Amino acid sequence: MSPPAVAVVEPQTPGNVGTIARAMKNFGMHDLKLVDPPELDRDGEAYGYAGQAREDVLPNHDEVTFDHLVDNYHTVGLTATTNEDARKHRRFPFTTPDELADSLRTVEADTCLVFGREDNGLTNEEIARVDEVCSIPASADYPSLNLGQAATVTLYELRELGVEETQLPDVERERADEAEIEGFYDHFADFLAAIDHPEEKRDKTLRLVRRLFGRAHPTGREVRTLRGVLRRAIYHADDETDR
């Protein structure tokens, strides 16, 4: 499936448009729609804030109407205040960005995320016309996010819809093999003996270390480094004993 399009309705600040374009490129989305945008000067804030998205996402944006979005896309309206009460049917029910990611992953549809104005978001009439409502959980004392922040958080949560591979390593494949880890446990037992750790406590200590390593998933390099430390500690402990 194609990643969702992203629309901004009547943005007032070119810098926010650039920030959203940059977040789109970060998280694998490219189709930017703007409803009645400000002037986007190539030497101005929008292109300055867009980073590498100035080369494609931002200059390739489409200027459309709100009617066009509603008529051509499965629309998801983004709002800070949901009035989550069944009586307020315009904004009820709603999803959070992570819940939205789960639902969109199983739906084949041309989808558009619709962000509103910096000062008052989407109007009640606009919210009433979208297919779904999404809201970022935030403090009840101050639930309103900056437009650029809200878009970045939402697109991050939806990144699996647009990004097949990230720059991060696959940590599951870096865990040391079990022979290396078992060797560390043997080495740690030798260390306990070398420092004359109370014999009646050694089995319990080794179980604790095993549980700790079981949660930590150490890499081969980490295990080898720790064994080097143990080796040196044992050497010095034996040297002290010889004296």
Side-chain angles (χ1 to χ4, degrees), residues 203-223:
D203 286 345
K204 182 177 181 180
T205 300
L206 287 170
R207 286 197 299 273
L208 292 176
V209 170
R210 183 177 288 272
R211 286 207 296 266
L212 177 63
F213 259 50
R215 294 194 304 270
H217 302 300
T219 65
R221 181 176 182 180
E222 289 167 341
V223 170

Side-chain angles (χ1 to χ4, degrees), residues 77-84 91 94 120-122 127 133-139 142-146 150:
L78 278 296
T79 180
T81 305
T82 61
N83 293 335
E84 58 270 29
R91 300 186 179 188
F94 69 96
N120 56 11
L122 297 171
I127 287 289
V133 174
C134 179
S135 184
I136 298 171
S139 169
Y142 192 32
S144 180
L145 278 74
N146 168 278

Side-chain angles (χ1 to χ4, degrees), residues 107-118:
V107 175
E108 182 68 38
D110 292 332
T111 299
C112 186
L113 310 174
V114 185
F115 293 90
R117 306 156 187 83
E118 286 93 335

Side-chain angles (χ1 to χ4, degrees), residues 28 33 35 53 56 79 82 88 94 102 126-127 144 150 154 156 163 166 176 214:
K33 312 290 187 185
V35 177
D56 43 29
T79 180
T82 61
K88 306 290 181 65
F94 69 96
D102 287 339
E126 289 164 344
I127 287 289
S144 180
T154 302
Y156 165 76
V163 175
T166 74

Side-chain angles (χ1 to χ4, degrees), residues 145-165:
L145 278 74
N146 168 278
L147 174 59
Q149 292 175 320
T152 300
V153 170
T154 302
L155 300 184
Y156 165 76
E157 291 288 357
L158 300 178
R159 65 194 180 281
E160 291 185 6
L161 303 179
V163 175
E164 294 182 0
E165 182 177 353

Side-chain angles (χ1 to χ4, degrees), residues 136-203:
I136 298 171
S139 169
D141 293 334
Y142 192 32
S144 180
L145 278 74
N146 168 278
L147 174 59
Q149 292 175 320
T152 300
V153 170
T154 302
L155 300 184
Y156 165 76
E157 291 288 357
L158 300 178
R159 65 194 180 281
E160 291 185 6
L161 303 179
V163 175
E164 294 182 0
E165 182 177 353
T166 74
Q167 86 284 10
L168 300 179
D170 185 349
V171 294
E172 292 180 351
R173 297 183 182 177
E174 290 191 355
R175 176 184 164 93
D177 64 44
E178 295 309 310
E180 288 182 301
I181 293 176
E182 288 298 323
F184 170 82
Y185 297 146
D186 292 340
H187 213 153
F188 196 83
D190 294 340
F191 165 72
L192 294 179
I195 64 171
D196 199 25
H197 188 72
E199 190 167 353
E200 68 276 11
K201 295 183 178 180
R202 292 181 194 175
D203 286 345

